[in-house]
Amino acid sequence: MSDASRLYISRKLGKGMKHGYKWRAFLPLFLLFIVTALLSFSMTFISSLSAEINRMIEVMGSGTIYALSDPSVYVPEEGEVAAVREGSALAYSENGESALFIKGVDPSYFSGMRSRELSFETFEGDAMNPVVISSSLSSDLDLHPGNRFTLLLWDAENSRTRPFLCTVKSVFDSVYPQLDSHLAYVPYTLLSSRVGYEALLPQGDGGDALLLRLLENGIPASSYKTMYSSLYGNVVSSIGILYIILASVALLAAFFSSDAVQVYMERDRKDIKELWILGLQRSSIKGIYFRMTLTAVAFSAVAGILAGVIIALLSPSVLSIVSKYEPELLEYYVRSFDVTVPWLSLAFMAVLEIIVSALSIAFSLRKRKGIALF
């Protein structure tokens, strides 16, 4: 572009002009900014929420891999292996009762990664038959650290029930009520069921390589993806929504950018005619408005993405408030999570918007021929 063209574009986009003019210059693409912000928020929120749900299925379920024989030899150094027993029970407190899924674990079970990823409130005194429960179950039975309750355990080996007086040793913040609202952890020695082994790997390691290695060495094992297939399927479906969002971005960007270039040319009809009288070719005039509109589109896209990310960063606080007053609304979702911004996906979304807008603007300008250009 010539210096005159650059100056013309910068002035039309508001350089050196009053704030009112700058606002009007980007007003045709304000809806694109709003839509991009909403979609950026959706992508960040969904990807973060899905990642946290996926992780909680591992942490609160049966680990990344559940094996029937000790897999410690094959588990990477950064992984953790815990021996567990499983069973069922009925819990009775002064204010309620509940059917429970029981895990028999040793005290070290809640060290390492679980201690970092869960938040605990712990009773420091002596505890008879210490039990660890979630805040969801704590609320349902009105049990708090230090409180005692009766646990009626089913002894599958002897086909009988056994009552135990237990103490709530710790309460962890319920992060996924679908998994932890009927889950309790008891001392390993209270259960007599068969021993299994939970291998928990760092977040992001799906355990596929470890599973294959265990099976190749004759150790029966299952991945959390198959053990909790319906829950994991929800995570996969949530991620699939992101592709729908990207497709929506392309369609909306094409619509808004095409509309914006028409608005700019109608607004500047008199100026365009003067440019033509001064000897500027029609192709050059179209090039100016192509660059000017695409610049505005790029600015709106980037600003919208940043606005969406900022809103997403505030979303855990909003969910925390909702979980306090309307906990049933979040029964199938995690109640707290760390926001992970998918910068690569957002960058792809911005590039997609710009490319599709460029095609839409070029097509829209091509249709303006003859007197219609003015």
Side-chain angles (χ1 to χ4, degrees):
M1 290 189 299
S2 64
D3 292 339
S5 297
R6 291 193 185 91
L7 178 60
Y8 182 84
I9 292 174
S10 63
R11 295 288 287 179
K12 287 298 181 181
L13 290 177
K15 184 177 181 180
M17 308 296 280
K18 294 182 178 179
H19 292 298
Y21 183 90
K22 293 179 181 179
W23 167 254
R24 289 191 297 273
F26 288 94
L27 186 61
L29 290 167
F30 180 69
L31 287 178
L32 179 62
F33 164 79
I34 294 296
V35 170
T36 303
L38 292 175
L39 295 178
S40 172
F41 163 77
S42 299
M43 290 183 68
T44 304
F45 182 79
I46 291 172
S47 61
S48 300
L49 197 66
S50 298
E52 187 67 18
I53 291 176
N54 186 61
R55 183 56 176 172
M56 286 303 107
I57 295 175
E58 297 179 66
V59 173
M60 307 308 303
S62 297
T64 310
I65 301 293
Y66 181 80
L68 297 182
S69 299
D70 191 349
S72 299
V73 177
Y74 306 102
V75 175
E77 291 185 5
E78 62 273 15
E80 300 172 359
V81 177
V84 298
R85 286 175 170 157
E86 298 178 348
S88 56
L90 292 175
Y92 296 92
S93 70
E94 291 184 3
N95 299 293
E97 59 185 55
S98 178
L100 299 180
F101 177 73
I102 299 295
K103 282 191 177 185
V105 299
D106 60 38
S108 64
Y109 185 82
F110 288 105
S111 61
M113 284 183 278
R114 288 183 177 88
S115 67
R116 294 191 295 271
E117 298 185 36
L118 298 173
S119 177
F120 293 88
E121 181 184 355
T122 301
F123 174 62
E124 300 299 338
D126 294 332
M128 176 186 297
N129 297 322
V131 177
V132 178
I133 62 176
S134 69
S135 58
S136 293
L137 184 58
S138 170
S139 177
D140 291 342
L141 299 181
D142 193 21
L143 290 173
H144 306 282
N147 292 166
R148 292 187 175 183
F149 68 102
T150 300
L151 197 63
L152 195 61
L153 280 173
W154 172 249
D155 186 350
E157 188 176 284
N158 298 305
S159 299
R160 62 171 182 166
T161 56
R162 300 168 61 196
F164 291 91
L165 183 62
C166 301
T167 304
V168 178
K169 179 64 175 178
S170 297
V171 176
F172 61 86
D173 285 342
S174 180
V175 289
Y176 194 16
Q178 181 74 353
L179 273 177
D180 60 37
S181 59
H182 293 278
L183 176 63
Y185 299 87
V186 302
Y188 184 82
T189 54
L190 291 189
L191 296 176
S192 58
S193 56
R194 181 177 179 177
V195 178
Y197 297 86
E198 294 180 2
L200 182 63
L201 301 179
Q203 187 168 5
D205 186 341
D208 295 336
L210 175 60
L211 177 62
L212 181 60
R213 190 176 182 187
L214 293 178
L215 295 176
E216 287 176 345
N217 286 275
I219 298 179
S222 297
S223 168
Y224 76 98
K225 298 175 185 177
T226 54
M227 295 182 68
Y228 301 92
S229 57
S230 60
L231 296 178
Y232 182 71
N234 291 337
V235 175
V236 174
S237 298
S238 298
I239 297 299
I241 293 175
L242 299 181
Y243 296 102
I244 299 176
I245 291 176
L246 289 175
S248 302
V249 166
L251 293 174
L252 292 170
F255 174 79
F256 290 123
S257 58
S258 177
D259 182 65
V261 72
Q262 301 297 335
V263 171
Y264 287 147
M265 296 195 77
E266 290 298 326
R267 179 196 65 182
D268 301 334
R269 179 182 289 269
K270 182 179 178 181
D271 295 332
I272 293 173
K273 191 170 184 178
E274 291 176 352
L275 291 175
W276 181 70
I277 293 174
L278 291 173
L280 207 62
Q281 299 295 320
R282 295 180 189 274
S283 59
S284 299
I285 296 175
K286 290 181 178 181
I288 288 174
Y289 278 85
F290 174 84
R291 293 180 177 87
M292 185 171 71
T293 308
L294 198 59
T295 299
V297 167
F299 176 83
S300 299
V302 172
I305 287 173
L306 294 178
V309 168
I310 292 172
I311 297 172
L313 291 173
L314 299 175
S315 59
S317 300
V318 176
L319 283 184
S320 178
I321 295 173
V322 173
S323 67
K324 288 183 180 179
Y325 297 99
E326 297 292 340
E328 63 278 359
L329 293 178
L330 302 177
E331 183 177 355
Y332 297 96
Y333 299 93
V334 290
R335 294 182 176 180
S336 63
F337 61 95
D338 294 326
V339 176
T340 303
V341 181
W343 290 114
L344 186 61
S345 296
L346 294 176
F348 177 73
M349 183 173 74
V351 172
L352 183 64
E353 280 193 46
I354 293 171
I355 291 175
V356 174
S357 295
L359 296 174
S360 177
I361 295 167
F363 180 76
S364 182
L365 287 171
R366 187 175 181 181
K367 292 192 302 182
R368 298 184 72 100
K369 296 181 180 179
I371 195 66
L373 182 62
F374 308 123

